[in-house]
Amino acid sequence: FTCYSFVPEHGKIGTDPGMDVGDEVWYYSDNSADYSNKTTFWIAKGMQNSNEPLVDYWNGTQWGKAMFVGIRDCNVFIENIEKVPDLSAYDKETWKAEAKVLKAFYHFWMMRMYGPIPIIKENIPVSAGEDEVRVVRDKIDDIVTYIVSLIDESVEYLPLNIQNEAAEMGRITRPAAKAIKAKILAFAASPFFNGNLDYANFKNAEGEPFFNQVYDNEKWTKAADACLEAIQCAEEAGHGLYEFVNMSSTQLSDETILSLSNRCKVTERWNKELVWGCGQSGIRDLQVLCQPWLESNYSSDDRYHNARNGTFAPTLAVAETFYTKNGVPMDEDKNYDYSKRYTTQVATEADKYYIQPGYTTAKLHFDREPRFYATLGFDGSSWYGIGKMDDNDMWYLQAKAKQASGKRGNTLYSITGYFAKKLVRYQNAMVPASIQIETYPFPIIRLADLYLLYAEALNESGATKTDVLTWVDLIRERAGLKGVEESWDTYTNNKKYETIDGRREIIQQERGIELAFEAQRFWDLRRWKLAFQEQNKPITGWNTQYSTNEDYYTEQLIYTQEFRIRNYFWPILDKELYSNKNLVQNYGW
């Protein structure tokens, strides 16, 4: 459990960079990100530095864990487990395999953040001389090869399922190990790590580039094979795409059931789609940050401790990423009036499962795909659950200034007017005096992620259109949408699914929608070499300081991010470079 203690707490604001360092969410101020720290959000605002790096996983400071200590502890465990008396051979082999996979994952975590890192195959002896202690950074391809070898030599000793679910959920299984391998190989095949000429001058002491300079398409074939192997292993273990089943006596509409299928795939504890996950107190805090106030009668103390009124605020760009109800992008749907999306419209009784009848909200919020309503809350939207389990008597958000879910002071509000409904369990309960929140394991990898990775790898390796889109369409079917070909043929004037480039664009948007707020987009944009393009766009939302429709529904510039090439990687602490002259600082720092 010492080895497991270094698994980064995924989903925790302030320690998981994927949650709020990118462009998916924003906060009303630097002080709104978390109860105790705001370090990840500071990075989003350009405050990263090499003198005292924020969220430093290299040295274990500024809310980062000391990952090299974690790797060392795994080595201690692996090297000494055979000495333990009265322990069965099965336990020895299984535990050793778990420690090796954790060691592989920690190397991968560091490679994502820092690029070339030292490979720590064995611990340096206490008696080692100065030269041996001063490690060097290894090449990306060598790191990937070593990580994959650790997993390959471990998988046969891992269990297919967790047997003692009450005590051991979250431990490494065979499907989890294979999924980690698939993820690593997909990263290694992606443009940033595969033939990245932008880093041609980033070299080791011998003058050799850390990044291979020749693109190798065979890496995508290896990634595809690993993805398929991981999917098959996961399905053998009983994993599958989650679908909500109504177990209550209250009859629910098809719209609500579909919405809950797309909402609870994250928040339903240990559901069959989760291949590997973790989560502690940070998931409670996350839900508090996402939960809007649903009534007006909260005291200031209640508001502070029990709900923060959606201070974790999705951006307008995220809202526009989701498809129309026809399953295609808004600006491609020939039946959708894209130019008037910021004008307003009054909801009718036919909209009641998604929008409050009689309420005026943006046209942008009408005629969208089911995942839009499952993922986001907005002014006028429904919010099923939180004490109201009848979808004919739901909460509806009113998020303009002075309204229950809107800005009612200088603190605690959604700066964009959007709320991350997807991350809040509908079974939670909130009243003015208290809030009852049940945590859930935040997904590190779930099956939908593997399906889309497989589709991407197939596409890049030159597989047929049908083979690629089959896996995308499985995700779309659960989302309540028609297949890619049918949707684009019927509702657009283009057939971009016919080309590799077009399918790549579709898969990337599908990942952005399906995995929104799951700390995936942040890393995806980096491996695709799109972060510089996407994170230099303005952060915008609705004009939340106003109370009238005319004023509220105007696009407000909140912040203009400045992403530089150096921001693709974390800096190494300057002091670390002084003490070890063999280390090379990351490009641009």
Side-chain angles (χ1 to χ4, degrees), residues 298-324:
Y298 289 90
S299 70
S300 59
D301 184 67
D302 293 329
R303 292 198 300 268
Y304 185 81
H305 291 290
N306 298 326
R308 289 202 154 193
N309 202 20
T311 60
F312 181 89
T315 62
L316 184 57
V318 168
E320 296 196 322
T321 298
F322 287 81
Y323 298 136
T324 67

PDB file of all heavy atoms in Angstrom, residues 298-324:
ATOM      1  N   TYR A 298     -29.919  29.962   1.587  1.00  0.00           N
ATOM      2  CA  TYR A 298     -28.708  29.468   2.220  1.00  0.00           C
ATOM      3  C   TYR A 298     -28.047  30.589   3.003  1.00  0.00           C
ATOM      4  O   TYR A 298     -27.925  31.714   2.512  1.00  0.00           O
ATOM      5  CB  TYR A 298     -27.706  28.951   1.161  1.00  0.00           C
ATOM      6  CG  TYR A 298     -28.136  27.677   0.508  1.00  0.00           C
ATOM      7  CD1 TYR A 298     -28.906  27.696  -0.648  1.00  0.00           C
ATOM      8  CD2 TYR A 298     -27.774  26.452   1.051  1.00  0.00           C
ATOM      9  CE1 TYR A 298     -29.310  26.526  -1.249  1.00  0.00           C
ATOM     10  CE2 TYR A 298     -28.173  25.269   0.447  1.00  0.00           C
ATOM     11  CZ  TYR A 298     -28.929  25.310  -0.698  1.00  0.00           C
ATOM     12  OH  TYR A 298     -29.328  24.146  -1.295  1.00  0.00           O
ATOM     13  N   SER A 299     -27.593  30.279   4.207  1.00  0.00           N
ATOM     14  CA  SER A 299     -26.775  31.241   4.930  1.00  0.00           C
ATOM     15  C   SER A 299     -25.376  31.221   4.333  1.00  0.00           C
ATOM     16  O   SER A 299     -25.006  30.302   3.627  1.00  0.00           O
ATOM     17  CB  SER A 299     -26.709  30.870   6.421  1.00  0.00           C
ATOM     18  OG  SER A 299     -25.939  29.691   6.586  1.00  0.00           O
ATOM     19  N   SER A 300     -24.578  32.235   4.643  1.00  0.00           N
ATOM     20  CA  SER A 300     -23.233  32.288   4.081  1.00  0.00           C
ATOM     21  C   SER A 300     -22.406  31.085   4.536  1.00  0.00           C
ATOM     22  O   SER A 300     -21.594  30.554   3.784  1.00  0.00           O
ATOM     23  CB  SER A 300     -22.535  33.586   4.501  1.00  0.00           C
ATOM     24  OG  SER A 300     -22.458  33.670   5.915  1.00  0.00           O
ATOM     25  N   ASP A 301     -22.621  30.615   5.761  1.00  0.00           N
ATOM     26  CA  ASP A 301     -21.874  29.463   6.257  1.00  0.00           C
ATOM     27  C   ASP A 301     -22.250  28.204   5.485  1.00  0.00           C
ATOM     28  O   ASP A 301     -21.397  27.410   5.101  1.00  0.00           O
ATOM     29  CB  ASP A 301     -22.138  29.250   7.746  1.00  0.00           C
ATOM     30  CG  ASP A 301     -21.290  28.114   8.321  1.00  0.00           C
ATOM     31  OD1 ASP A 301     -20.060  28.279   8.379  1.00  0.00           O
ATOM     32  OD2 ASP A 301     -21.856  27.076   8.697  1.00  0.00           O
ATOM     33  N   ASP A 302     -23.546  28.034   5.227  1.00  0.00           N
ATOM     34  CA  ASP A 302     -24.002  26.873   4.456  1.00  0.00           C
ATOM     35  C   ASP A 302     -23.391  26.905   3.064  1.00  0.00           C
ATOM     36  O   ASP A 302     -22.932  25.885   2.549  1.00  0.00           O
ATOM     37  CB  ASP A 302     -25.534  26.867   4.332  1.00  0.00           C
ATOM     38  CG  ASP A 302     -26.228  26.638   5.666  1.00  0.00           C
ATOM     39  OD1 ASP A 302     -25.651  25.935   6.509  1.00  0.00           O
ATOM     40  OD2 ASP A 302     -27.326  27.175   5.850  1.00  0.00           O
ATOM     41  N   ARG A 303     -23.380  28.057   2.452  1.00  0.00           N
ATOM     42  CA  ARG A 303     -22.884  28.169   1.084  1.00  0.00           C
ATOM     43  C   ARG A 303     -21.398  27.815   1.016  1.00  0.00           C
ATOM     44  O   ARG A 303     -20.934  27.158   0.103  1.00  0.00           O
ATOM     45  CB  ARG A 303     -23.110  29.589   0.546  1.00  0.00           C
ATOM     46  CG  ARG A 303     -24.576  29.932   0.347  1.00  0.00           C
ATOM     47  CD  ARG A 303     -24.718  31.127  -0.577  1.00  0.00           C
ATOM     48  NE  ARG A 303     -24.060  32.319  -0.057  1.00  0.00           N
ATOM     49  CZ  ARG A 303     -24.655  33.238   0.692  1.00  0.00           C
ATOM     50  NH1 ARG A 303     -25.918  33.080   1.031  1.00  0.00           N
ATOM     51  NH2 ARG A 303     -23.991  34.297   1.108  1.00  0.00           N
ATOM     52  N   TYR A 304     -20.664  28.266   2.028  1.00  0.00           N
ATOM     53  CA  TYR A 304     -19.217  28.057   1.974  1.00  0.00           C
ATOM     54  C   TYR A 304     -18.861  26.580   2.159  1.00  0.00           C
ATOM     55  O   TYR A 304     -18.023  26.040   1.447  1.00  0.00           O
ATOM     56  CB  TYR A 304     -18.528  28.888   3.050  1.00  0.00           C
ATOM     57  CG  TYR A 304     -17.022  28.807   2.969  1.00  0.00           C
ATOM     58  CD1 TYR A 304     -16.317  29.590   2.060  1.00  0.00           C
ATOM     59  CD2 TYR A 304     -16.301  27.935   3.778  1.00  0.00           C
ATOM     60  CE1 TYR A 304     -14.935  29.512   1.953  1.00  0.00           C
ATOM     61  CE2 TYR A 304     -14.917  27.854   3.687  1.00  0.00           C
ATOM     62  CZ  TYR A 304     -14.249  28.647   2.777  1.00  0.00           C
ATOM     63  OH  TYR A 304     -12.890  28.566   2.684  1.00  0.00           O
ATOM     64  N   HIS A 305     -19.498  25.913   3.101  1.00  0.00           N
ATOM     65  CA  HIS A 305     -19.094  24.563   3.452  1.00  0.00           C
ATOM     66  C   HIS A 305     -19.801  23.480   2.636  1.00  0.00           C
ATOM     67  O   HIS A 305     -19.254  22.394   2.456  1.00  0.00           O
ATOM     68  CB  HIS A 305     -19.356  24.313   4.955  1.00  0.00           C
ATOM     69  CG  HIS A 305     -18.452  25.093   5.844  1.00  0.00           C
ATOM     70  ND1 HIS A 305     -17.103  24.822   5.959  1.00  0.00           N
ATOM     71  CD2 HIS A 305     -18.692  26.153   6.655  1.00  0.00           C
ATOM     72  CE1 HIS A 305     -16.546  25.668   6.820  1.00  0.00           C
ATOM     73  NE2 HIS A 305     -17.488  26.484   7.255  1.00  0.00           N
ATOM     74  N   ASN A 306     -20.983  23.738   2.151  1.00  0.00           N
ATOM     75  CA  ASN A 306     -21.794  22.673   1.588  1.00  0.00           C
ATOM     76  C   ASN A 306     -21.949  22.721   0.081  1.00  0.00           C
ATOM     77  O   ASN A 306     -22.259  21.711  -0.534  1.00  0.00           O
ATOM     78  CB  ASN A 306     -23.183  22.679   2.241  1.00  0.00           C
ATOM     79  CG  ASN A 306     -23.096  22.430   3.726  1.00  0.00           C
ATOM     80  OD1 ASN A 306     -22.238  21.680   4.170  1.00  0.00           O
ATOM     81  ND2 ASN A 306     -23.964  23.064   4.496  1.00  0.00           N
ATOM     82  N   ALA A 307     -21.772  23.857  -0.533  1.00  0.00           N
ATOM     83  CA  ALA A 307     -21.806  23.947  -1.995  1.00  0.00           C
ATOM     84  C   ALA A 307     -21.176  25.268  -2.393  1.00  0.00           C
ATOM     85  O   ALA A 307     -21.378  26.277  -1.733  1.00  0.00           O
ATOM     86  CB  ALA A 307     -23.239  23.863  -2.519  1.00  0.00           C
ATOM     87  N   ARG A 308     -20.407  25.235  -3.463  1.00  0.00           N
ATOM     88  CA  ARG A 308     -19.711  26.452  -3.888  1.00  0.00           C
ATOM     89  C   ARG A 308     -20.301  27.029  -5.166  1.00  0.00           C
ATOM     90  O   ARG A 308     -19.649  27.777  -5.875  1.00  0.00           O
ATOM     91  CB  ARG A 308     -18.227  26.166  -4.021  1.00  0.00           C
ATOM     92  CG  ARG A 308     -17.571  25.963  -2.664  1.00  0.00           C
ATOM     93  CD  ARG A 308     -16.091  26.219  -2.737  1.00  0.00           C
ATOM     94  NE  ARG A 308     -15.584  26.631  -1.440  1.00  0.00           N
ATOM     95  CZ  ARG A 308     -14.390  27.147  -1.252  1.00  0.00           C
ATOM     96  NH1 ARG A 308     -13.571  27.343  -2.263  1.00  0.00           N
ATOM     97  NH2 ARG A 308     -13.985  27.490  -0.046  1.00  0.00           N
ATOM     98  N   ASN A 309     -21.524  26.637  -5.453  1.00  0.00           N
ATOM     99  CA  ASN A 309     -22.302  27.260  -6.519  1.00  0.00           C
ATOM    100  C   ASN A 309     -21.608  27.202  -7.875  1.00  0.00           C
ATOM    101  O   ASN A 309     -21.607  28.166  -8.630  1.00  0.00           O
ATOM    102  CB  ASN A 309     -22.639  28.714  -6.166  1.00  0.00           C
ATOM    103  CG  ASN A 309     -23.847  29.223  -6.950  1.00  0.00           C
ATOM    104  OD1 ASN A 309     -24.636  28.429  -7.465  1.00  0.00           O
ATOM    105  ND2 ASN A 309     -23.997  30.518  -7.038  1.00  0.00           N
ATOM    106  N   GLY A 310     -21.007  26.056  -8.164  1.00  0.00           N
ATOM    107  CA  GLY A 310     -20.447  25.855  -9.493  1.00  0.00           C
ATOM    108  C   GLY A 310     -19.246  26.709  -9.801  1.00  0.00           C
ATOM    109  O   GLY A 310     -19.078  27.153 -10.941  1.00  0.00           O
ATOM    110  N   THR A 311     -18.377  26.943  -8.821  1.00  0.00           N
ATOM    111  CA  THR A 311     -17.180  27.736  -9.114  1.00  0.00           C
ATOM    112  C   THR A 311     -16.263  27.021 -10.110  1.00  0.00           C
ATOM    113  O   THR A 311     -15.459  27.657 -10.778  1.00  0.00           O
ATOM    114  CB  THR A 311     -16.400  28.068  -7.829  1.00  0.00           C
ATOM    115  OG1 THR A 311     -15.998  26.857  -7.188  1.00  0.00           O
ATOM    116  CG2 THR A 311     -17.249  28.872  -6.876  1.00  0.00           C
ATOM    117  N   PHE A 312     -16.374  25.700 -10.200  1.00  0.00           N
ATOM    118  CA  PHE A 312     -15.693  24.923 -11.243  1.00  0.00           C
ATOM    119  C   PHE A 312     -16.555  25.070 -12.495  1.00  0.00           C
ATOM    120  O   PHE A 312     -17.509  24.338 -12.720  1.00  0.00           O
ATOM    121  CB  PHE A 312     -15.604  23.456 -10.788  1.00  0.00           C
ATOM    122  CG  PHE A 312     -14.915  22.519 -11.737  1.00  0.00           C
ATOM    123  CD1 PHE A 312     -13.552  22.323 -11.675  1.00  0.00           C
ATOM    124  CD2 PHE A 312     -15.639  21.796 -12.668  1.00  0.00           C
ATOM    125  CE1 PHE A 312     -12.910  21.426 -12.528  1.00  0.00           C
ATOM    126  CE2 PHE A 312     -15.012  20.898 -13.527  1.00  0.00           C
ATOM    127  CZ  PHE A 312     -13.646  20.707 -13.454  1.00  0.00           C
ATOM    128  N   ALA A 313     -16.214  26.066 -13.331  1.00  0.00           N
ATOM    129  CA  ALA A 313     -17.137  26.529 -14.368  1.00  0.00           C
ATOM    130  C   ALA A 313     -16.679  26.141 -15.777  1.00  0.00           C
ATOM    131  O   ALA A 313     -15.669  26.661 -16.264  1.00  0.00           O
ATOM    132  CB  ALA A 313     -17.289  28.047 -14.287  1.00  0.00           C
ATOM    133  N   PRO A 314     -17.410  25.263 -16.459  1.00  0.00           N
ATOM    134  CA  PRO A 314     -17.094  24.931 -17.853  1.00  0.00           C
ATOM    135  C   PRO A 314     -17.186  26.167 -18.748  1.00  0.00           C
ATOM    136  O   PRO A 314     -17.996  27.066 -18.515  1.00  0.00           O
ATOM    137  CB  PRO A 314     -18.176  23.908 -18.218  1.00  0.00           C
ATOM    138  CG  PRO A 314     -18.604  23.324 -16.916  1.00  0.00           C
ATOM    139  CD  PRO A 314     -18.513  24.441 -15.930  1.00  0.00           C
ATOM    140  N   THR A 315     -16.358  26.214 -19.751  1.00  0.00           N
ATOM    141  CA  THR A 315     -16.314  27.374 -20.640  1.00  0.00           C
ATOM    142  C   THR A 315     -17.364  27.271 -21.744  1.00  0.00           C
ATOM    143  O   THR A 315     -17.896  26.190 -22.030  1.00  0.00           O
ATOM    144  CB  THR A 315     -14.932  27.501 -21.283  1.00  0.00           C
ATOM    145  OG1 THR A 315     -14.670  26.335 -22.080  1.00  0.00           O
ATOM    146  CG2 THR A 315     -13.848  27.630 -20.229  1.00  0.00           C
ATOM    147  N   LEU A 316     -17.628  28.396 -22.371  1.00  0.00           N
ATOM    148  CA  LEU A 316     -18.564  28.426 -23.489  1.00  0.00           C
ATOM    149  C   LEU A 316     -18.063  27.551 -24.639  1.00  0.00           C
ATOM    150  O   LEU A 316     -18.858  26.913 -25.340  1.00  0.00           O
ATOM    151  CB  LEU A 316     -18.769  29.864 -23.957  1.00  0.00           C
ATOM    152  CG  LEU A 316     -19.790  30.106 -25.071  1.00  0.00           C
ATOM    153  CD1 LEU A 316     -21.172  29.586 -24.691  1.00  0.00           C
ATOM    154  CD2 LEU A 316     -19.863  31.596 -25.408  1.00  0.00           C
ATOM    155  N   ALA A 317     -16.754  27.493 -24.826  1.00  0.00           N
ATOM    156  CA  ALA A 317     -16.193  26.656 -25.890  1.00  0.00           C
ATOM    157  C   ALA A 317     -16.541  25.189 -25.684  1.00  0.00           C
ATOM    158  O   ALA A 317     -16.804  24.462 -26.649  1.00  0.00           O
ATOM    159  CB  ALA A 317     -14.680  26.839 -25.953  1.00  0.00           C
ATOM    160  N   VAL A 318     -16.553  24.732 -24.434  1.00  0.00           N
ATOM    161  CA  VAL A 318     -16.947  23.353 -24.148  1.00  0.00           C
ATOM    162  C   VAL A 318     -18.402  23.124 -24.539  1.00  0.00           C
ATOM    163  O   VAL A 318     -18.750  22.116 -25.159  1.00  0.00           O
ATOM    164  CB  VAL A 318     -16.731  23.016 -22.656  1.00  0.00           C
ATOM    165  CG1 VAL A 318     -17.401  21.696 -22.290  1.00  0.00           C
ATOM    166  CG2 VAL A 318     -15.248  22.945 -22.341  1.00  0.00           C
ATOM    167  N   ALA A 319     -19.263  24.075 -24.182  1.00  0.00           N
ATOM    168  CA  ALA A 319     -20.681  23.948 -24.528  1.00  0.00           C
ATOM    169  C   ALA A 319     -20.881  23.844 -26.037  1.00  0.00           C
ATOM    170  O   ALA A 319     -21.781  23.144 -26.513  1.00  0.00           O
ATOM    171  CB  ALA A 319     -21.466  25.131 -23.970  1.00  0.00           C
ATOM    172  N   GLU A 320     -20.038  24.525 -26.795  1.00  0.00           N
ATOM    173  CA  GLU A 320     -20.179  24.514 -28.247  1.00  0.00           C
ATOM    174  C   GLU A 320     -19.531  23.283 -28.883  1.00  0.00           C
ATOM    175  O   GLU A 320     -19.734  23.036 -30.073  1.00  0.00           O
ATOM    176  CB  GLU A 320     -19.592  25.797 -28.830  1.00  0.00           C
ATOM    177  CG  GLU A 320     -20.344  27.039 -28.382  1.00  0.00           C
ATOM    178  CD  GLU A 320     -20.030  28.263 -29.232  1.00  0.00           C
ATOM    179  OE1 GLU A 320     -18.861  28.427 -29.632  1.00  0.00           O
ATOM    180  OE2 GLU A 320     -20.962  29.037 -29.498  1.00  0.00           O
ATOM    181  N   THR A 321     -18.762  22.536 -28.112  1.00  0.00           N
ATOM    182  CA  THR A 321     -18.131  21.319 -28.635  1.00  0.00           C
ATOM    183  C   THR A 321     -19.154  20.224 -28.890  1.00  0.00           C
ATOM    184  O   THR A 321     -19.008  19.435 -29.832  1.00  0.00           O
ATOM    185  CB  THR A 321     -17.068  20.813 -27.639  1.00  0.00           C
ATOM    186  OG1 THR A 321     -16.052  21.795 -27.496  1.00  0.00           O
ATOM    187  CG2 THR A 321     -16.446  19.512 -28.119  1.00  0.00           C
ATOM    188  N   PHE A 322     -20.195  20.168 -28.075  1.00  0.00           N
ATOM    189  CA  PHE A 322     -21.177  19.091 -28.182  1.00  0.00           C
ATOM    190  C   PHE A 322     -21.969  19.203 -29.480  1.00  0.00           C
ATOM    191  O   PHE A 322     -22.198  20.291 -30.009  1.00  0.00           O
ATOM    192  CB  PHE A 322     -22.129  19.130 -26.985  1.00  0.00           C
ATOM    193  CG  PHE A 322     -21.497  18.658 -25.705  1.00  0.00           C
ATOM    194  CD1 PHE A 322     -20.698  19.513 -24.959  1.00  0.00           C
ATOM    195  CD2 PHE A 322     -21.682  17.370 -25.246  1.00  0.00           C
ATOM    196  CE1 PHE A 322     -20.096  19.099 -23.786  1.00  0.00           C
ATOM    197  CE2 PHE A 322     -21.090  16.923 -24.071  1.00  0.00           C
ATOM    198  CZ  PHE A 322     -20.293  17.786 -23.338  1.00  0.00           C
ATOM    199  N   TYR A 323     -22.409  18.052 -29.970  1.00  0.00           N
ATOM    200  CA  TYR A 323     -23.160  17.990 -31.219  1.00  0.00           C
ATOM    201  C   TYR A 323     -24.580  18.542 -31.048  1.00  0.00           C
ATOM    202  O   TYR A 323     -25.085  18.713 -29.940  1.00  0.00           O
ATOM    203  CB  TYR A 323     -23.272  16.549 -31.697  1.00  0.00           C
ATOM    204  CG  TYR A 323     -21.966  15.869 -32.010  1.00  0.00           C
ATOM    205  CD1 TYR A 323     -21.719  14.571 -31.581  1.00  0.00           C
ATOM    206  CD2 TYR A 323     -20.970  16.508 -32.757  1.00  0.00           C
ATOM    207  CE1 TYR A 323     -20.532  13.916 -31.881  1.00  0.00           C
ATOM    208  CE2 TYR A 323     -19.784  15.859 -33.059  1.00  0.00           C
ATOM    209  CZ  TYR A 323     -19.559  14.568 -32.608  1.00  0.00           C
ATOM    210  OH  TYR A 323     -18.386  13.931 -32.904  1.00  0.00           O
ATOM    211  N   THR A 324     -25.219  18.757 -32.173  1.00  0.00           N
ATOM    212  CA  THR A 324     -26.660  18.997 -32.172  1.00  0.00           C
ATOM    213  C   THR A 324     -27.374  17.669 -31.918  1.00  0.00           C
ATOM    214  O   THR A 324     -26.741  16.610 -31.843  1.00  0.00           O
ATOM    215  CB  THR A 324     -27.128  19.556 -33.521  1.00  0.00           C
ATOM    216  OG1 THR A 324     -26.962  18.525 -34.525  1.00  0.00           O
ATOM    217  CG2 THR A 324     -26.335  20.788 -33.918  1.00  0.00           C
TER     218      THR A 324
END
